[in-house]
């Protein structure tokens, strides 16, 4: 059954998260500062102190196209590992766009349409968010313009094709159609792009037109709020509670959506799982970033957010998990990490694809590169159980399918895929540019 409410974890936290700051005054921002980018309903959700936010009927009507999503036990993977652990995964790849992203794209399009907005702009890394917003805009009669990170645009041409099928206009970022993109291209015509650059372009386009707003697929509180349908459904579907919960993190929406409802139960003393975030070795904002105020984009157009960051000038190597190539992390998750509410680890690109191939050969589902990070850690945990004899219950979220990522799998299978060892000096150089 689809939940009737989204869950807001903020009122249940032991300490409130730091507020976003206005870049000019360094004072906490107010609703008027966000109004040029977001409708008031979403601004209200961003700062809400209500534990539960009702899901509008119009959103539920669209959710019913694919929700509730299945919770499945990976018995054949367990058998191949020879582990006593029991592995469950919540499969979000059944959505129209093939990932968890429509869970927030649909309400964002709905609230904008309700306020009379004509067009939405956004960025996308791997293309799952862009596909999702294009689909959502089609449901509510909105135009959609998307800036897709150049590295992913080149690696995954069929993702941009799907966005166009749904009716969107798609640019490779950095692009010459914005000042932010033109500035990057002037300095580096061969730039692979980054989510920070693409955000700058989408925000610039939204701020320049009265009938246009901006939509973000991760990071912000209201986005993580919408994703909690994943965890709420999983709580209701599981017949045994997990000992370990594992999720991949780029901006944090998939991870937060899965774990927040379980954290609510943990804070209430009902369960006590270990919760573990997994990020790319090439873009390790939790494990090697700094907890500081920084811009969410490269050009410095967004408010300052306190988060784990590698620096807004940081451009990750062009790994195939494009949805995890973001310099920062959700401010809410960053705050919770500082409070010690979950762990974080990194995984290399090749070991993640190894896990993806193993999962495909046992469970029959080809995962997107992003959730293979969680699968790699899930497999490692299951093998630790094999050594110890512990019969742990492990839960993860398979947040997308890899049907548009076959060129990446071909590179892995042919032995051409490389791991990117991130030198500390690159992080230090980017962190030198922090605004405060």
């Amino acid at each position: 059954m689809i939940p009737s409410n989204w869950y807001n974890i903020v009122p249940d936290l032991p300490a409130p998260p730091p507020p976003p700051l206005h870049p000019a005054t360094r004072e906490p921002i107010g609703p008027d500062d966000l109004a040029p980018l977001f409708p008031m309903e979403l601004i209200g959700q961003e700062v809400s102190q209500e534990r539960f936010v009702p899901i509008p009927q119009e959103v539920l009507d669209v959710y019913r196209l694919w929700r509730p999503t299945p919770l499945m036990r990976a018995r054949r993977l367990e058998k191949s590992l020879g582990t006593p652990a029991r592995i469950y995964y919540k499969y979000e790849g059944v959505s129209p766009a093939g990932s968890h992203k429509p869970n927030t794209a649909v309400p964002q399009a709905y609230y904008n349409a309700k306020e009379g907005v004509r067009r939405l702009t956004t960025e996308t890394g791997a293309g799952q968010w862009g596909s999702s917003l294009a689909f959502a805009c089609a449901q509510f009669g909105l135009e959609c313009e998307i800036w897709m990170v150049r590295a992913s645009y080149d690696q995954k041409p069929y993702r941009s094709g799907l966005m166009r099928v749904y009716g969107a206009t798609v640019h490779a970022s950095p692009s010459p159609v914005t000042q932010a993109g033109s500035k990057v291209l002037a300095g580096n015509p061969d730039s692979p792009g980054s989510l920070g650059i693409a955000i700058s372009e989408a925000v610039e386009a939204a701020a320049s037109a009265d009938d246009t707003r901006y939509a973000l697929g991760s990071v912000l509180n209201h986005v993580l709020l919408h994703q909690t349908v994943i965890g709420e459904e999983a709580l209701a579907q599981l017949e045994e509670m997990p000992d370990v919960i594992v999720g991949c993190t780029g901006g944090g929406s998939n991870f937060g959506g899965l774990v927040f409802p379980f954290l609510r139960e943990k804070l209430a003393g009902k369960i006590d799982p270990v919760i573990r975030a997994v990020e790319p070795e090439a873009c390790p904002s939790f494990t090697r970033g700094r907890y500081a105020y920084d811009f969410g984009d490269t050009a410095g157009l967004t408010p300052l957010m306190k988060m784990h960051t590698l620096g807004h000038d940081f451009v990750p190597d062009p790994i195939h998990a494009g949805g995890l190539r973001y310099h920062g992390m959700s401010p809410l998750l960053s705050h919770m990490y500082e409070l010690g509410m979950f762990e974080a680890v990194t995984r290399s690109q090749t070991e993640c694809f190894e896990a993806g191939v193993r999962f495909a050969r046992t469970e029959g589902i080809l995962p997107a590169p992003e959730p293979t990070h969680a699968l790699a850690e899930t497999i490692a945990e299951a093998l630790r159980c094999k050594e110890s004899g512990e019969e742990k219950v492990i839960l993860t979220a398979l947040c997308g399918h890899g049907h548009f990522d076959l060129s990446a799998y071909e590179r892995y299978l042919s032995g051409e895929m490389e791991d990117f060892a991130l030198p500390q000096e690159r992080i230090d150089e980017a962190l030198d540019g922090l605004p405060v």
Side-chain angles (χ1 to χ4, degrees), residues 59 65 71 104 164 180 238 280 287 290 320-321 361 434:
V59 172
L65 290 174
L71 177 82
T104 186
R164 294 185 180 100
L238 279 167
T287 52
R290 184 180 301 169
H320 289 282
R361 291 176 179 176
L434 288 179

Side-chain angles (χ1 to χ4, degrees), residues 242-309:
D243 299 297
V244 182
I245 304 175
V246 183
C248 64
T249 49
S253 68
N254 163 68
F255 180 74
L258 173 67
V259 306
F260 281 2
F262 289 92
L263 274 169
R264 178 186 67 225
E265 303 304 303
K266 182 173 182 175
L267 290 168
K270 298 177 181 179
I271 57 175
D272 190 26
V274 171
I275 297 174
R276 190 171 298 139
V278 191
E279 58 185 5
E281 201 172 65
C283 196
S285 50
F286 268 140
T287 52
R288 295 177 66 188
R290 184 180 301 169
Y291 186 50
Y293 273 102
D294 195 9
F295 292 108
D297 71 314
T298 300
L301 301 178
T302 68
L304 294 170
M305 299 179 290
K306 194 164 189 182
M307 59 184 176
H308 285 268
T309 179

Side-chain angles (χ1 to χ4, degrees), residues 51-121:
R51 294 182 77 237
F52 295 97
V53 177
I55 303 176
Q57 186 60 50
E58 294 88 343
V59 172
L60 287 171
D61 288 343
V62 183
Y63 275 0
R64 288 191 181 94
L65 290 174
W66 73 96
R67 304 216 70 89
T69 58
L71 177 82
M72 305 174 75
R73 183 171 168 187
R75 294 180 184 273
R76 300 186 70 82
L77 176 62
E78 295 169 9
K79 183 178 179 180
S80 78
L81 296 171
T83 180
R86 297 184 292 282
I87 301 171
Y88 294 88
Y89 61 96
K90 183 74 165 147
Y91 185 45
E92 294 293 300
V94 297
S95 79
S99 79
H100 67 296
K101 294 292 187 177
N103 297 333
T104 186
V106 171
Q108 288 193 51
Y110 164 73
Y111 288 123
N112 275 283
K114 185 179 176 183
E115 202 167 284
V117 171
R118 182 184 65 84
R119 179 180 66 140
L120 286 180
T121 67

